[in-house]
Amino acid sequence: MKLALILPLALVAFIGVARAEEADDFREANKTEAETFNARMYAGTPGKTAYACFVRRYDAEHLAQHPKQKVASMKLLVSAESDSEDKQLHNSFRIGFRYRHRSGDFDSSGSCHHTVLTKEADEIRLGCGVDCEGGGIGIALSKDDKSAIVRLESVRIWLHNQPTEDEDRTLVAGSDDGIFRLDRTDASECAALATDRKELAALRHK
């Protein structure tokens, strides 16, 4: 069972935008706009596969200024793969993070089916969702493309590399956990998020 939120009215929940925003504030990006965004995301026109890695480790000063923030660090891996059948580029995401006051490493992952623009066309985002109504995230880029802006309302998570665990966990946005700015870095920094040896090798040699 996959998220298949095609209608505009369902798009907001899918891309994890802020609660105050409405579906009418977005429109689907056209092919040229989507391709331009992909080139920005992957620092060049993606080939058969492409990766972009973004990381943030929040220091004590930042956490002191945001006492309600639950997340202490986060990694985001955005991946692209060209499908040999439909000739389309398919994006996906994986995040890994640590809580501020809880032990353990947590993950989430899913597919990115939509590229949308805000009504004023001043921001373009990937809309990404977790299977089986697991929520999702929106991924934008800073104007200089050096950072990813991650927005979420809620997203299903699991202990690192244990996505089939029975216990249902969710990262829910609070006043300090709805928007994360992560810095672009070398793909090897996201190697821990790789799911197979081939992908791990690709990340380590980027």
Side-chain angles (χ1 to χ4, degrees):
M1 178 174 57
K2 291 181 178 292
L3 287 178
L5 302 181
I6 306 301
L7 297 175
L9 291 176
L11 192 55
V12 171
F14 185 64
I15 63 177
V17 297
R19 294 180 181 86
E21 295 175 328
E22 301 293 338
D24 290 342
D25 291 336
F26 299 91
R27 68 169 175 82
E28 289 278 353
N30 60 40
K31 182 179 179 180
T32 299
E33 291 166 335
E35 289 177 348
T36 299
F37 182 75
N38 283 328
R40 292 175 59 203
M41 174 65 70
Y42 300 110
T45 303
K48 186 176 181 180
T49 59
Y51 303 95
C53 176
F54 303 88
V55 175
R56 182 77 179 272
R57 299 175 180 88
Y58 294 97
D59 58 26
E61 181 180 358
H62 176 95
L63 293 175
Q65 294 173 353
H66 299 83
K68 294 183 180 180
Q69 181 172 323
K70 300 185 288 288
V71 172
S73 64
M74 181 177 286
K75 293 183 178 182
L76 168 69
L77 177 65
V78 186
S79 305
E81 184 172 1
S82 179
D83 190 286
S84 59
E85 293 185 3
D86 64 17
K87 308 300 182 183
Q88 299 295 315
L89 193 71
H90 295 266
N91 294 295
S92 61
F93 83 95
R94 256 166 270 150
I95 58 172
F97 73 96
R98 290 183 177 181
Y99 279 109
R100 183 176 183 175
H101 299 302
R102 293 172 58 183
S103 61
D105 295 319
F106 293 85
D107 297 345
S108 187
S109 64
S111 301
C112 304
H113 297 294
H114 290 280
T115 306
V116 298
L117 281 88
T118 55
K119 182 170 58 178
E120 297 81 7
D122 59 351
E123 185 176 83
I124 187 168
R125 302 177 191 170
L126 277 179
C128 308
V130 180
D131 288 354
C132 301
E133 300 182 357
I137 63 174
I139 305 171
L141 290 169
S142 60
K143 292 183 178 180
D144 61 7
D145 297 341
K146 293 182 179 180
S147 301
I149 312 301
V150 178
R151 289 175 170 83
L152 68 87
E153 285 191 5
S154 67
V155 62
R156 181 179 297 127
I157 61 173
W158 45 82
L159 284 170
H160 182 54
N161 286 335
Q162 298 181 40
T164 58
E165 188 179 31
D166 291 336
E167 184 177 353
D168 188 22
R169 293 184 171 93
T170 303
L171 174 61
V172 179
S175 57
D176 285 336
D177 291 285
I179 302 176
F180 300 91
R181 185 185 183 96
L182 313 179
D183 299 322
R184 187 188 292 272
T185 188
D186 189 89
S188 61
E189 285 285 317
C190 288
L193 300 176
T195 56
D196 58 54
R197 292 182 179 180
K198 184 177 179 180
E199 186 176 56
L200 179 60
L203 291 172
R204 286 177 171 173
H205 290 87
K206 283 291 181 180

